Amino acid sequence: MPELLLNIGYLVSAGLFIIGLKGLTHPRTAVRGNLLGACGMLLAIVITLMDQKIVGFEYILAGIVIGAAIGVVLAVKIEMTSMPELVAAFNGFGGIASVFVAGAAIIENTLHGSTPMTQTTVAVAASGLIGAVTFWGSLVAFGKLKGLVGDKAVLFSGQQVINAGLAILALALSVGLVMDPTNAYFYWLLVLAASALGVLLVIPVGGADMPVVVALLNSYSGLAAASTGFILSNNVLIITGSLVGASGIILTRIMCKAMNRSLFNVLFGVLAPTGGGVSSDEVYTGRVKSASADEVALLFDAARRVAIIPGYGMAVSQAQHPVKTLATMLEERGIQVEYGVHPVAGRMPGHMNVLLAEADVSYESLKDMDEINQYIDQVDVALVIGANDVVNPLARTDPTSALAGMPIINVDKARTVVVIKRSLSPGFAGIPNPLFALDNTLMLFGDGKKAVLDIIAALKDT
Ligand code: NAP
């Protein structure tokens, strides 16, 4: 294929990726954005296949068939709540692919005794280094999220010194490789050092912070792919890798901000303060009031403005469709209904948005934390469904709590709060929630979906 045509095709597909990413920044344009990105990817694949001269098409086809089969099974079987570990695994595969491509380039140099350009060797070293860190880091993240290895932070003395030593060793081996590109030992030793670094960088991170690390590893996998693009002289890989690298780091920043953690704290296992804190008994004993679905329905009867605050429990109980039905019923009674969506509610970025979009909730009624907090005191009933940490007032009031400083949705300031959950068990952060014991709070204990269906049935009777 002529070089000019190839690059024009890649340019078009890169343009489609960028416009697609822009579309993904708003729910209204997200579906179109996704489609444009997919078209860009299809174009890039077709052009790359037309241009390839080295591997027989039968191998490529076999790879596509096996990969697509695994992809389809995973896509159908995966639970929404397991999405972070799937993303972790995907990042890891991206990383190891870069390690192999760079390794193949080194083997080729050694076999043919050819000396590549310095630019290519620098890219080989970067691919091996970042790719191996990404692969092993992602494997540990996957294991922690899946519960295969303990999700506690593993900390030991001298950890940072060992990490620094490994990083210096990896850089020294990279320099050695650039000086002597035909010496494959430098490359494989570099991969070994980077692999150890990948494991050691992720083990000090506790399960709670793991999704932030997954976002960061996503960014690394992009950088590894961009480096691989330089090895293969493939412009579209350089562009897409850079886009993934940049968007991953932006997402990491957003998540750190929403959880009130600095990236440094997350990466070096510095935990949020967990000082004395209050015990569950101190917070709850004699103070918690439970209500029935009938009583909650009566509350709605008298309300003018309702805010629904979904959390992880809504995802677990798959209550999004009944929640939408309830909201529609309330709206038909002239009640204004809005949804307050916290940026880290659930277990992955955008978790609540995805579920509510699946239930056809209109984008206009989704309010982000800052917006809904401005008028939460005018809300008659705040219905908290399966959310806990993201509405825990201790984040505001207790500087020693694990949530200290995390911005929350201030539902405690609403006129009445109804919390749907199965028990008084803590959320992700593992601390009690004084919201459940407030004078203006009623607890509706039960599975999220069942409780909402019960309220719907009770409303029909009123
Ligand atoms: P949460 O604090 O983890 O609390 C979820 C609550 O849902 C639990 O207290 C649980 O109580 C309840 N629940 C579980 N299954 C339920 C069911 N079937 N029906 C009804 N309730 C059920 O959730 P959150 O308020 O959404 O906060 C998210 C947490 O995850 C934050 O700490 C956040 O920092 C962390 N996190 C989020 C992300 C992200 O990207 N979204 C990433 C990393 C960490 P019961 O067991 O009593 O029912």
Side-chain angles (χ1 to χ4, degrees):
M1 187 182 233
E3 189 78 9
L4 182 67
L5 213 60
L6 180 85
N7 279 323
I8 289 176
Y10 280 162
L11 199 64
V12 173
S13 81
L16 287 169
F17 291 147
I18 292 168
I19 300 167
L21 271 180
K22 175 86 183 92
L24 289 176
T25 58
H26 195 277
R28 195 184 301 284
T29 49
V31 175
R32 196 181 58 211
N34 207 5
L35 210 67
L36 286 175
C39 291
M41 185 52 81
L42 182 67
L43 182 65
I45 291 173
V46 170
I47 293 174
T48 307
L49 286 181
M50 284 168 67
D51 186 51
Q52 81 87 25
K53 308 153 192 110
I54 305 166
V55 188
F57 274 104
E58 63 279 12
Y59 291 111
I60 294 174
L61 200 68
I64 290 176
V65 170
I66 296 170
I70 297 173
V72 168
V73 172
L74 278 179
V76 171
K77 287 194 120 183
I78 194 82
E79 297 282 337
M80 204 63 191
T81 43
S82 306
M83 211 47 101
E85 57 244 42
L86 183 69
V87 175
F90 284 164
N91 293 340
F93 291 145
I96 197 71
S98 299
V99 170
F100 285 144
V101 172
I106 285 289
I107 291 170
E108 208 183 1
N109 292 345
T110 328
L111 286 181
H112 298 120
S114 53
T115 313
M117 289 193 306
T118 310
Q119 167 196 324
T120 312
T121 324
V122 170
V124 166
S127 283
L129 174 60
I130 308 172
V133 167
T134 309
F135 176 66
W136 285 101
S138 300
L139 273 197
V140 176
F142 176 85
K144 286 199 176 202
L145 287 166
K146 193 107 188 110
L148 301 176
V149 289
D151 73 345
K152 293 263 174 304
V154 180
L155 296 162
F156 53 87
S157 64
Q159 199 164 16
Q160 325 254 1
V161 179
I162 296 176
N163 286 358
L166 278 170
I168 292 169
L169 176 66
L171 286 176
L173 288 164
S174 305
V175 172
L177 183 68
V178 174
M179 312 283 272
D180 182 4
T182 52
N183 190 341
Y185 285 117
F186 278 129
Y187 181 74
W188 297 114
L189 283 175
L190 164 64
V191 169
L192 213 63
S195 302
L197 190 60
V199 173
L200 287 177
L201 276 177
V202 179
I203 54 168
V205 182
D209 287 329
M210 205 42 78
V212 181
V213 171
V214 172
L216 188 68
L217 289 168
N218 182 243
S219 170
Y220 287 178
S221 72
L223 295 179
S227 311
T228 311
F230 281 103
I231 302 173
L232 299 173
S233 302
N234 185 310
N235 290 339
V236 83
L237 196 53
I238 297 172
I239 297 173
T240 42
S242 311
L243 289 175
V244 173
S247 46
I249 203 78
I250 292 170
L251 179 59
T252 308
R253 216 188 138 263
I254 292 173
M255 290 175 76
C256 281
K257 207 166 151 239
M259 294 166 78
N260 194 37
R261 306 287 313 277
S262 76
L263 187 56
F264 181 86
N265 284 0
V266 170
L267 289 185
F268 294 101
V270 184
L271 300 172
T274 50
V278 275
S279 73
S280 304
D281 286 348
E282 278 174 79
V283 175
Y284 300 135
T285 306
R287 299 199 181 96
V288 176
K289 298 181 290 298
S290 65
S292 66
D294 291 328
E295 286 165 310
V296 174
L298 283 176
L299 268 180
F300 283 135
D301 249 356
R304 307 289 322 142
R305 194 168 191 180
V306 168
I308 297 174
I309 319 299
Y312 177 64
M314 183 182 84
V316 176
S317 63
Q318 287 292 296
Q320 61 275 23
H321 291 283
V323 164
K324 157 80 179 170
T325 310
L326 174 64
T328 309
M329 280 178 83
L330 296 177
E331 279 162 353
E332 282 166 3
R333 292 167 184 228
I335 300 171
Q336 184 182 352
V337 182
E338 285 153 325
Y339 297 78
V341 180
H342 191 284
V344 292
R347 289 293 181 271
M348 60 175 187
H351 202 167
M352 298 300 115
N353 302 65
V354 171
L355 293 173
L356 294 172
E358 182 195 312
D360 267 339
V361 170
S362 78
Y363 304 131
E364 286 70 31
S365 51
L366 300 188
K367 306 292 169 197
D368 64 29
M369 174 173 63
D370 294 335
E371 192 176 352
I372 201 139
N373 274 343
Q374 284 172 20
Y375 50 79
I376 195 85
D377 53 346
Q378 291 156 34
V379 165
D380 296 312
V381 182
L383 179 67
V384 176
I385 163 153
N388 191 341
D389 294 347
V390 299
V391 290
N392 191 334
L394 281 182
R396 275 195 329 253
T397 57
D398 180 1
T400 67
S401 105
L403 291 174
M406 177 171 116
I408 58 156
I409 298 186
N410 299 320
V411 285
D412 52 315
K413 296 188 177 164
R415 292 182 184 133
T416 311
V417 186
V418 174
V419 179
I420 298 177
K421 69 200 290 290
R422 298 163 305 178
S423 63
L424 288 172
S425 304
F428 201 72
I431 57 170
N433 189 341
L435 172 77
F436 307 155
L438 289 182
D439 287 344
N440 58 336
T441 300
L442 292 172
M443 301 296 296
L444 175 51
F445 289 112
D447 172 71
K449 184 173 182 176
K450 179 164 183 318
V452 177
L453 288 172
D454 288 347
I455 300 175
I456 292 172
L459 269 175
K460 281 183 183 157
D461 292 343
T462 59

